[in-house]
Amino acid sequence: MRIRVLGPLNADVNGVSIVPTAGKPRQILSLLALYPGQIMPVPTLMEEIWGADPPVSALTTLQTYILQLRRRLGTAMGPDAPHTAKDVLATRHGGYVLQIPSDSADVHEYERRVSAGQAAFEAGDDEGAAQTLRQALALWRGPALVDVRVGPALTIEVLRLEESRLVTVERRIDADLRLGRHCEITAELRDLTARHPHHEGLHSQAMVALYRSGRQAAALDLYRKLRMRLIEELGVEPSPQMQRMHQAMLAVDPALDLSTGPRRGSTFDLYAA
């Protein structure tokens, strides 16, 4: 079985899709897929589907949804499969578990590559970090579970995954900046700062990329626009780190140059106290 949640929900066995069309069974499959090999308690599944006020028939209806998923599994597995659908989507005390290897789900492959990329980054292996983090990000096909209606449990998971994705993008860009690829990533950073207009980390990276590309005025203008948005929309000034980076650019601080700047750490922490 292969299950993908980093984008539209996709799950197949022997090339045959087992994704149900109905919304609530899709939620159940999604939640089980995020934790393969782990028991998903019945109360968690019920809360995901019905929130804090499940109907009287909730348990019976949940069991019906599980039966529907098993039927789809059984059809895809075929009559000669060594295991039954009930072995794969198993009942355990107090819940259900999807008995598949963790690497069957794209989210676990993504997290494995992110960990490896982060380790390379911290070890100063910029090329290895950039390559591995790119491979992790390439597993995404759109927003997580974009075609699944999410309840309380899945909402938390989707937010966690999207935050992880953004942090991974930042680390990959940090590695690219340390490799001297500032010109190549300027356009990408322009897009990212437009999508995340209050994100200081991305703005610091964009400023450094522009500065190292010989576009000091554009870097300073980016800071000016960020400051205006923060003041007008949130009523706050940029962080001390951003303010120090701004002053460093005005002073043409050698620490901003690729050849003399620090080789480790994030761009945003370049002027941390």
Side-chain angles (χ1 to χ4, degrees):
M1 181 188 295
R2 293 292 303 172
I3 297 184
R4 294 188 287 178
V5 300
L6 301 178
L9 176 63
N10 181 288
D12 66 79
V13 177
N14 300 325
V16 178
S17 174
I18 63 167
V19 177
T21 56
K24 289 181 173 62
R26 290 168 73 90
Q27 288 175 266
I28 294 171
L29 179 60
S30 299
L31 203 49
L32 291 169
L34 287 165
Y35 294 95
Q38 299 183 41
I39 298 173
M40 186 57 58
V42 165
T44 301
L45 290 168
M46 291 173 62
E47 183 183 16
E48 168 61 27
I49 297 172
W50 291 288
D53 189 26
V56 176
S57 61
L59 182 58
T60 301
T61 305
L62 175 62
Q63 291 169 342
T64 300
Y65 292 151
I66 294 294
L67 179 61
Q68 292 172 0
L69 288 171
R70 283 176 175 158
R71 284 174 178 166
R72 298 185 74 90
L73 262 172
T75 300
M77 291 167 66
D80 299 326
H83 304 288
T84 67
K86 201 168 183 178
D87 294 326
V88 178
L89 178 46
T91 302
R92 293 290 182 266
H93 180 69
Y96 299 94
V97 58
L98 198 58
Q99 298 276 46
I100 59 174
S102 62
D103 60 4
S104 298
D106 62 350
V107 63
H108 295 280
E109 175 66 13
Y110 162 75
E111 290 172 343
R112 183 186 68 79
R113 295 191 183 193
V114 167
S115 295
Q118 183 64 33
F121 181 83
E122 293 173 356
D125 178 9
D126 300 330
E127 188 61 59
Q131 180 179 351
T132 306
L133 295 176
R134 266 196 186 83
Q135 292 170 349
L137 292 165
L139 295 170
W140 286 76
R141 298 165 294 116
L145 295 172
V146 66
D147 58 348
V148 177
R149 185 181 72 86
V150 297
L154 283 178
T155 294
I156 293 172
E157 292 298 330
V158 167
L159 288 173
R160 177 183 67 83
L161 287 170
E162 291 294 343
E163 181 64 24
S164 170
R165 183 186 190 183
L166 187 57
V167 170
T168 302
V169 169
E170 286 185 81
R171 291 294 78 76
R172 195 224 81 220
I173 291 172
D174 278 330
D176 281 335
L177 283 171
R178 293 187 335 195
L179 289 164
R181 296 171 179 162
H182 35 270
C183 292
E184 294 94 318
I185 62 175
T186 299
E188 177 187 9
L189 281 164
R190 282 292 198 183
D191 178 66
L192 286 167
T193 53
R195 292 173 183 270
H196 304 277
H198 301 129
H199 196 296
E200 291 193 352
L202 293 171
H203 278 77
S204 70
Q205 292 176 323
M207 288 170 64
V208 169
L210 288 167
Y211 182 90
R212 290 179 179 172
S213 301
R215 301 170 64 185
Q216 181 187 27
L220 293 172
D221 187 57
L222 189 63
Y223 175 85
R224 180 185 63 80
K225 290 177 179 176
L226 170 65
R227 181 174 181 269
M228 288 177 59
R229 278 195 301 272
L230 291 176
I231 292 173
E232 293 174 1
E233 298 174 19
L234 303 179
V236 298
E237 289 277 354
S239 67
Q241 287 166 263
M242 287 297 290
Q243 294 182 44
R244 285 191 287 268
M245 178 174 286
H246 176 243
Q247 291 300 316
M249 288 187 175
L250 290 172
V252 194
D253 187 345
L256 289 165
D257 296 333
L258 178 65
S259 58
T260 59
R263 299 298 299 163
R264 298 189 182 188
S266 71
T267 306
F268 183 61
D269 290 335
L270 191 59
Y271 289 95

